[in-house]
Amino acid sequence: MSKVYKFAISLRLRAPFLTAASEPGRLGLDSPLLRDHRTRVCFPDSLIRGKLRQSCTDWPHQFCTLRPLLGRSDDVPRALLVSDFVVTEPVPNSPRGAITRAAHEPDGSGAIKAGAMQVLEQPWLPGTVVKFEGAAHAILKDDDVAKQLERELCQALLLVGSFGAEASVGWGASAAGSKAEPCPVEVNMSRLIAKPIGLPPEKALAVTLVLDRPFLVTRPGPTPNRFDSLGFLPGNVIKGALATTWAQWFGQPPGDWFSQMRITSALPGNDGIRPRAIPHSLVASKQVAYDVALVDGACLIHGEAPEFSIDWKISPEPPSLAERQGVARSLDEYFHWSRPGQTLRVRTAIEQDTRTAKDEHLFAYQMALHESKRPDSPPADEDKPDSRQPSEDWQALHFHTTIQLPSDLPPDIKRNLESLLGTGILHVGKTRAIAQVHDIQPLKWPDMPWQPGRDVVLVLQSDALLDSPGDEPPADRQALLAAHARFFSDLSGGCLKLVRQFVRQRLVVGGRLHRRYGSQARNQIGTYQAWTLTEAGSVFVLRAVEERQEQKVRDVLSRWMAHGLGTPSFFPNELRNWEFNPYVSENGFGEVRINDPEHRSWRPPEESTIVCSIEAEKTP
């Protein structure tokens, strides 16, 4: 069994240096320094990895341990995880806060070319030694390999002449000088010790994760050079990272037991309670929030048509929340959401020969933050962008997920899983974040709050595939209702029928999704078909076909609560396998909550509600 090692790295560079930020700086600056979300000056992880790869390319026989860990293709995944390198010391308030550069006319007159002057941010005086600190993580066989990697990391960074832009004029040079000065590169190796985590005997677990860096889980979409991150971790992303970490740690992929393990989406919330999806049946009337899931048809509230799809972030505080709860200031707070902030990075590919930016290879990452400002922390001073925000002002976001273990998990697999979870899950998302287990508790499913004669209100907590890819899309709302009625009738064994729904759907598109799943699942290379996902928050009102089937209805609802909706029998057999369908229940899709109390307690008052009858339009 391998071990996880951390390499703490420090770089000492001489000012000036530059890695340009993606966001605009203060007025008058053309190229501000890159800062992280805490406003610390930093070098991005991609720059450090590029410099390591540069040394391995120039001296291929000197870095036999380091070179394979950097990866170059999908067949050789990157195994060395590098963080951003940040300046931890306060940035000085230098009177020379910028350096001006200009291009001159080639005629020898000394005149400056029109539009060729650039103002570069540089708060440090030239020659000042600035210390950058970062880290690298890797899963290695033993201490001997780790020590060899420690030496090679130090050598590879020492061979780099400069870091960042304007290297041709000496910017970003290593602080190598007299013998009295310390080495410009320091690498200290340590082995991560697994926290003692004992998995409870129960098979259903509530797990809280924290991340060590911003993460990027790309939204599927057609944009080729912009990647926007989701604000949570889908179950398939966690499961894929867990499988990759397991394979690197134990030298082989997990066995058949792994496909039987279900991991739901990890949702951000810092009050110790897992967030819930905000139901799409919520409406607003006169700035009051109501739930119309149990209203039998379209309705008027207080003589007005209610407003659906409200942007709750900018709407006035719903008085109903203050009256009914007394503490919640918004729907996000009531449903326990802590929405992560975002940070933008713009990157480009580099020409191997000239080491300049490639043409038409610019792309952007819109990453989600792994931490948030504390509510009691002072606000950042926008007039002083160099003011560093102390780490005490930040708190880690907690991501809440659930894990359903197989009933027959072997004891040795359980011990290995405890060791892995105690150390951390590596390779989370495109930024290769490391997820640490903050807490793990047995998960107790709530009693099924359903009584015969009452409708069942089901709310999706994660996206679900309710429409088979390749089928004709429904032409109108009645056709969509009929398609979903077939879905729930099949999954329930005919004991439940769909009465009404409040759904939001989207087409999931993208070249990789088509290549990985579309052509394989339907064996039709060259055809392109988008997937139709029903989004989290969609509401379905179901009714028992026969009241005498009470026990069958309860069994079906309990199964959906514990294992998700599943795949209906009329879907193609290929779509039951995660290799051809990423949206299966074991990846956390189709998670539901049933009969939450708000559906009844937030129902609009009958005396203020007028139910309307809407019939489908008939075309001649």
Side-chain angles (χ1 to χ4, degrees), residues 194-197 199 205 207 209 238 242 245-246 249 261 263 403 405 414-425 435-438 440:
K195 296 188 301 183
I197 289 183
L199 293 178
L205 307 174
V207 181
L209 303 174
I238 302 174
L242 183 61
T245 306
W246 183 285
W249 201 344
M261 181 175 64
I263 302 180
I403 298 179
L405 297 175
K414 182 178 180 180
R415 289 192 297 269
N416 291 341
L417 187 59
E418 289 174 342
S419 299
L420 190 151
L421 293 176
T423 304
I425 304 173
Q436 300 281 349
V437 175
H438 177 76
I440 185 168

Side-chain angles (χ1 to χ4, degrees), residues 238-278:
I238 302 174
K239 201 168 184 181
L242 183 61
T244 302
T245 306
W246 183 285
Q248 292 183 355
W249 201 344
F250 300 106
Q252 59 183 2
D256 295 337
W257 63 272
F258 193 75
S259 61
Q260 304 172 23
M261 181 175 64
R262 179 172 183 256
I263 302 180
T264 61
S265 298
L267 308 178
N270 269 11
D271 58 1
I273 301 176
R274 189 165 186 255
R276 291 185 284 154
I278 299 177

Side-chain angles (χ1 to χ4, degrees), residues 157-173:
L157 293 174
L158 284 173
L159 289 172
V160 177
S162 59
F163 293 81
E166 307 295 339
S168 60
V169 292
W171 284 39

Side-chain angles (χ1 to χ4, degrees), residues 54 348-361:
Q54 172 186 329
T348 185
I350 301 297
E351 290 283 1
Q352 185 65 36
D353 297 334
T354 62
R355 292 171 184 167
T356 58
K358 283 187 178 181
D359 293 335
E360 300 182 357
H361 280 72

Side-chain angles (χ1 to χ4, degrees), residues 68 89 108 116 120 135 168 184 203 239 251 279 288 335 353 385 393 452 485 495 535 545 559 612:
E89 301 173 356
L120 312 177
S168 60
K203 299 306 178 183
K239 201 168 184 181
V288 178
F335 287 97
D353 297 334
D393 293 344
C495 68
E535 294 186 353
V545 176
R559 184 178 74 247
C612 308

